Amino acid sequence: AFSPRNGSTKSIHTTSSTNRMMSAQNNKNEIRDPIPNENIFFIEIGFGNDSHGQSATKAACRACRNAIEFNSIPSIKRLIPNGGYDALKLDVLLAVPPKYRQGLDLEEVAKVFPYGHVRFEVQDGGMVAPSGIAIEKLGDDGDDMVVVCASVTVGH
């Protein structure tokens, strides 16, 4: 199970007609540039889906977990100058179906990441596919499955 470490900074940036940045913990406006190419360690890709309930947030959390779940960086303190995990930066690009983008809760998605300063960028993408059945007691409004793709860039 992933949980954010205490005191971590989670920055939220979305691309839309109005760009915004804020800290997920204190709603303070905060701006951070993307990780420079020379400071990137690796890029991880994942996807997630919500088969019932049509939640872009649930699909995005699953996509981010899928991207990071099989990795460990035990030497991070030697790789990142001045801070190790505290100086780790994560740039997360989410491709979300436009139909479900409004319901995306980036503060909830930020909780997936156990370390670092997280910056989100959200673009139109992902997929809406039929599940073949709508189950009202599971929260379905129809038979849509919401699929979100995630790219997680890890660096400093």
Side-chain angles (χ1 to χ4, degrees):
F2 293 99
S3 62
R5 64 179 171 76
N6 291 343
S8 65
T9 302
K10 307 292 183 184
S11 298
I12 297 176
H13 170 260
T14 61
T15 57
S16 65
S17 56
T18 309
N19 286 345
R20 62 188 170 92
M21 296 275 293
M22 65 181 187
S23 164
Q25 288 191 341
N26 58 14
N27 292 333
K28 183 177 81 178
N29 286 334
E30 215 171 86
I31 295 176
R32 174 171 71 74
D33 290 330
I35 301 168
N37 285 345
E38 63 272 11
N39 293 347
I40 294 174
F41 295 129
F42 51 87
I43 300 171
E44 306 162 300
I45 303 297
F47 76 95
N49 135 55
D50 184 24
S51 296
H52 298 286
Q54 294 77 42
S55 171
T57 301
K58 188 181 289 185
C61 286
R62 290 174 175 167
C64 290
R65 275 194 207 101
N66 181 243
I68 68 170
E69 67 187 344
F70 299 109
N71 297 294
S72 177
I73 317 170
S75 61
I76 203 73
K77 288 182 181 180
R78 290 189 311 269
L79 296 172
I80 298 179
N82 304 320
Y85 289 106
D86 291 333
L88 189 69
K89 292 180 182 176
L90 305 169
D91 285 351
V92 179
L93 174 61
L94 298 173
V96 180
K99 179 178 178 180
Y100 293 102
R101 187 171 169 177
Q102 185 172 352
L104 181 63
D105 181 351
L106 292 176
E107 291 181 13
E108 190 64 28
V109 180
K111 294 176 184 177
V112 168
F113 300 99
Y115 308 108
H117 304 273
V118 180
R119 178 184 173 275
F120 286 99
E121 183 175 341
V122 179
Q123 67 182 25
D124 291 345
M127 179 172 54
V128 177
S131 69
I133 188 169
I135 304 172
E136 189 174 323
K137 69 180 179 180
L138 293 180
D140 282 339
D141 290 329
D143 74 340
D144 285 354
M145 288 191 298
V146 178
V147 179
V148 172
C149 302
S151 172
V152 180
T153 301
V154 179
H156 67 95

